[in-house]
Amino acid sequence: PLPLPNSEAGMRRLFSSSLRSLARSSPFPSSGGRKRGLVTHSFASLRSPPKCTPTFPRRQFSFTYPTPRKLEEIVKIPLLLMNEADKIVEIWTDYHSSKPGVFAGVLKGKRKFQVMMQRAQKSPLFIYPLVSPDGGGNYFVLVSQFQGKHCLFTSLEDFNEKKENAQPHLVITFYDELINEKDLVLIRTDICNPAFSLQAAKNINESVVKHYVSSDGYDLVDRFNHDPSKFDIESYLADPANQS
């Protein structure tokens, strides 16, 4: 079960005590240019429900990705390119609708994606309060880190306890192979922790795009990474637009 604080005030205390260390540290190791320690999977390996399996080598943290690293491992790109952009979106979402633990989305606009990747490289860390589905006003805080075209999520509690050994709960992958021809980026969110619903994955996906594409959203991300003393926790938590 997800470790939820008992109240909004409890979550704020937990978040406040962790903010400074979060802004200085990374919950996941930097992937670097070669993305060392990250295992590439074939499409056949995804027939069963996705699962992230953490491994703990002596000198380097790594885990197996629950998703293919390249779009060509999922679809035949030449055939996909024969369709109009709207049809490609339909094919992509329909294909993943029957797969457990996977949410498929899209980002339209080459410039938007370029801005997102530039900002993600500069400010890879952020946090996302996830409202508990029990309706009791509880929160669960996710810590995210971009590694190239992947966005990894762990819980704030796991990060505080395990640091670089924190287990990811979600992984978002951005496939940009169609961006020049179709002005589309295909997005896939894999749920590693079955406690998360597809709706939660969808909400988090949309929140990530909003915070890294829009100027207002990125202002928060920038302050969190580079000037945490000016990151207004109370306002951030009180704004329903920031709650997934």
Side-chain angles (χ1 to χ4, degrees), residues 16-176:
S16 298
S17 64
S18 305
L19 178 60
R20 193 170 298 277
S21 63
L22 281 173
R24 291 196 303 262
S25 307
S26 166
F28 303 102
S30 174
S31 58
R34 299 178 57 189
K35 294 181 173 58
R36 295 177 297 167
L38 303 181
V39 180
T40 302
H41 279 251
S42 66
F43 177 55
S45 69
L46 299 180
R47 298 301 181 183
S48 58
K51 181 180 180 181
C52 294
T53 306
T55 59
F56 304 97
R58 293 182 180 180
R59 297 185 180 181
Q60 179 176 305
F61 169 81
S62 67
F63 65 92
T64 56
Y65 271 88
T67 181
R69 303 288 294 279
K70 298 180 180 180
L71 185 60
E72 64 184 11
E73 299 176 54
I74 304 176
V75 300
K76 296 180 179 179
I77 296 178
L79 294 180
L80 195 62
L81 286 171
M82 295 173 63
N83 298 278
E84 296 296 326
D86 289 344
K87 183 63 177 178
I88 291 174
V89 173
E90 180 182 342
I91 292 171
W92 180 252
T93 54
D94 286 351
Y95 172 76
H96 288 94
S97 63
S98 62
K99 295 191 173 298
V102 177
F103 169 76
V106 297
L107 176 63
K108 297 182 179 181
K110 182 176 181 178
R111 180 56 183 163
K112 288 182 180 180
F113 183 67
Q114 290 174 334
V115 168
M116 170 184 274
M117 290 294 99
Q118 291 168 358
R119 291 172 171 176
Q121 184 177 13
K122 179 183 177 183
S123 307
L125 287 170
F126 200 50
I127 45 88
Y128 298 88
L130 184 66
V131 179
S132 172
D134 63 12
N138 296 327
Y139 290 83
F140 179 66
V141 181
L142 291 176
V143 184
S144 69
Q145 185 197 36
F146 268 95
Q147 291 188 11
K149 298 171 187 175
H150 306 273
C151 191
L152 317 176
F153 296 80
T154 189
S155 68
L156 178 58
E157 185 165 289
D158 281 354
F159 168 70
N160 284 337
E161 293 178 356
K162 304 174 184 177
K163 302 300 180 184
E164 68 274 9
N165 293 328
Q167 181 176 355
H169 294 305
L170 296 166
V171 178
I172 300 178
T173 302
F174 298 87
Y175 299 100
D176 64 346

Side-chain angles (χ1 to χ4, degrees), residues 174-205:
F174 298 87
Y175 299 100
D176 64 346
E177 287 90 333
L178 309 183
I179 199 166
N180 290 324
E181 293 88 348
K182 301 296 180 179
D183 205 33
L184 282 179
V185 175
L186 303 180
I187 307 174
R188 171 167 162 157
T189 302
D190 285 86
I191 299 172
C192 309
N193 184 335
F196 287 91
S197 66
L198 284 177
Q199 185 61 49
K202 177 179 183 292
N203 293 345
I204 293 168
N205 187 320

